[in-house]
Amino acid sequence: MWMMLFLGQEFSTPPRIPILPVSTRIDRDALSLSEGGPAWFRVGAVEPAMMTILHTVQPSRVIVAISGDLDMTVANSLREALDRLIDRYPVRDLVLDLSDVGFIDSSGLGVLLGRYRRLKPRDRTLLLVGVKPPVKAVLAVAGLGQIIPISDAPERLRDGHA
Amino acid sequence: MVDNCVRLTFLSVPDNVGIARVVVAAVAGQAGFSLSELEEIKVAVSEAVSNAIIHGYRYRRDGWVDVEAWLEDNRLSVVVRDEGVGIEDIEQARQPSYSTDPERMGLGFVFMETFMDSLQVTSQVGLGTRVEMSKAISMAGELSADAR
């Protein structure tokens, strides 16, 4: 119990969405149900391989909201899920909303860079929005900010300009 | 500050990467590291443990990974050790462009070097790899670096 409390204080993260496979498309009703969920959902940092993605298709782009830590536990499923979307909507740009991503390492970074490399030859862009400071620090060390547009603002604030 | 030492031994299962980085960050949290420094420590630990699982054990799930984290003299030290295949050419492995997996970018060691103050890698082919890294607390005492 102490550990849960301790972690809850040290690594306060927003409430997590319940565990679902990465490729699952979750509707917004399902998401709102989880917000009053049990406290252990909030000890996200020690939960195994937890990530959810939610995509929205717009005329010129696909917006994917990712939630969870982007490390080697989720890299393969995230790569497959994003590639499926890239292939399914072949002319659209890809926007990744990282508002609910508090951690990324080189495994997660590789997935982002790999998607950029897939999109670029076809003149499609990758845009990262809602990028938090810890994630931004990692992107900066890798020099990714120079090749992929990065924004702090979550995508919903940009809807008016979409 | 309190001197302390925590040792963790776990199987080379990817889910344990998150456990390792959170535990080490919790140890570091007992000292005066800033929140952004704790995040940097988490990235460095994640890279070292991921390397052990991916390269040391080549995704085998039955190898042991040892992580030791200690606080001493206003410094956090972390050792990550595996008994995997080892690294033939450490200098080459530490180059940013070097990776056996095109999508991992070969940035693991670069992140460890950037986010920690020191990094030593020793390895013997067939016996395993040991990564030791450390980071000094930028401001000891009651006020963390965030409060400056």
Side-chain angles (χ1 to χ4, degrees):
Chain A
M1 188 60 190
W2 69 269
M3 190 163 179
M4 198 156 82
L5 291 171
F6 178 70
L7 293 173
Q9 285 166 1
E10 277 298 308
F11 305 94
S12 53
T13 49
R16 293 292 177 108
I17 298 156
I19 312 112
L20 286 169
V22 82
S23 57
T24 305
R25 183 172 179 176
I26 318 139
D27 62 37
R28 294 197 180 270
D29 290 342
L31 291 179
S32 60
L33 282 175
S34 72
E35 285 173 7
W40 59 266
F41 276 140
R42 289 190 278 277
V43 194
V46 289
E47 292 163 4
M50 210 137 333
M51 183 184 55
T52 57
I53 72 168
L54 172 69
H55 72 267
T56 311
V57 181
Q58 293 186 345
S60 65
R61 57 194 195 168
V62 179
I63 302 167
V64 184
I66 302 171
S67 168
D69 290 350
L70 300 191
D71 64 9
M72 70 169 290
T73 57
V74 300
N76 284 339
S77 355
L78 180 63
R79 178 183 301 116
E80 286 163 17
L82 293 178
D83 280 348
R84 270 199 299 276
L85 289 172
I86 287 171
D87 294 339
R88 194 188 306 161
Y89 303 103
V91 293
R92 289 174 172 85
D93 294 332
L94 183 63
V95 179
L96 301 183
D97 188 338
L98 304 182
S99 307
D100 290 323
V101 174
F103 179 87
I104 188 166
D105 63 14
S106 67
S107 299
L109 209 56
V111 176
L112 303 187
L113 191 75
R115 307 299 59 74
Y116 166 80
R117 285 178 176 155
R118 279 203 70 201
L119 291 166
K120 192 169 184 289
R122 293 174 251 176
D123 285 328
R124 297 164 69 186
T125 61
L126 171 66
L127 173 66
L128 306 179
V129 299
V131 180
K132 290 181 163 180
V135 175
K136 192 177 261 184
V138 172
L139 299 181
V141 169
L144 226 65
Q146 288 157 25
I147 55 169
I148 300 177
I150 292 172
S151 155
D152 298 345
E155 189 55 27
R156 59 183 168 277
L157 297 179
R158 303 163 52 90
D159 283 353
H161 308 285
Chain B
M1 71 159 279
V2 189
D3 286 0
N4 194 3
C5 180
V6 170
R7 283 184 188 154
L8 270 181
T9 302
F10 50 85
L11 283 174
S12 51
V13 173
D15 287 334
N16 291 334
V17 176
I19 294 176
R21 67 172 174 259
V22 168
V23 169
V24 175
V27 173
Q30 296 173 345
F33 286 104
S34 71
L35 286 180
S36 61
E37 286 170 333
L38 292 179
E39 292 296 336
E40 292 172 351
I41 291 164
K42 279 161 75 174
V43 175
V45 172
S46 200
E47 300 298 346
V49 176
S50 298
N51 273 352
I53 295 173
I54 294 170
H55 302 294
Y57 291 116
R58 297 189 171 150
Y59 293 103
R60 265 176 47 211
R61 297 167 68 94
D62 59 352
W64 290 103
V65 181
D66 292 311
V67 175
E68 186 170 350
W70 69 97
L71 294 169
E72 190 179 20
D73 300 332
N74 292 322
R75 177 173 287 275
L76 170 80
S77 301
V78 183
V79 168
V80 176
R81 206 167 51 82
D82 68 64
E83 292 165 0
V85 298
I87 303 170
E88 233 168 86
D89 185 340
I90 293 174
E91 281 314 306
Q92 184 194 31
R94 287 177 70 157
Q95 297 306 308
S97 54
Y98 181 81
S99 179
T100 48
D101 175 349
E103 288 221 337
R104 277 194 89 234
M105 303 169 69
L107 282 174
F109 282 122
V110 174
F111 283 166
M112 289 181 242
E113 272 173 357
T114 307
F115 291 138
M116 303 294 278
D117 296 342
S118 74
L119 173 70
Q120 287 113 39
V121 186
T122 48
S123 186
Q124 266 187 289
V125 173
L127 291 178
T129 301
R130 180 185 188 275
V131 172
E132 176 166 353
M133 46 199 176
S134 77
K135 190 178 184 71
I137 297 158
S138 54
M139 184 178 176
E142 297 269 315
L143 286 175
S144 74
D146 292 329
R148 276 182 282 172

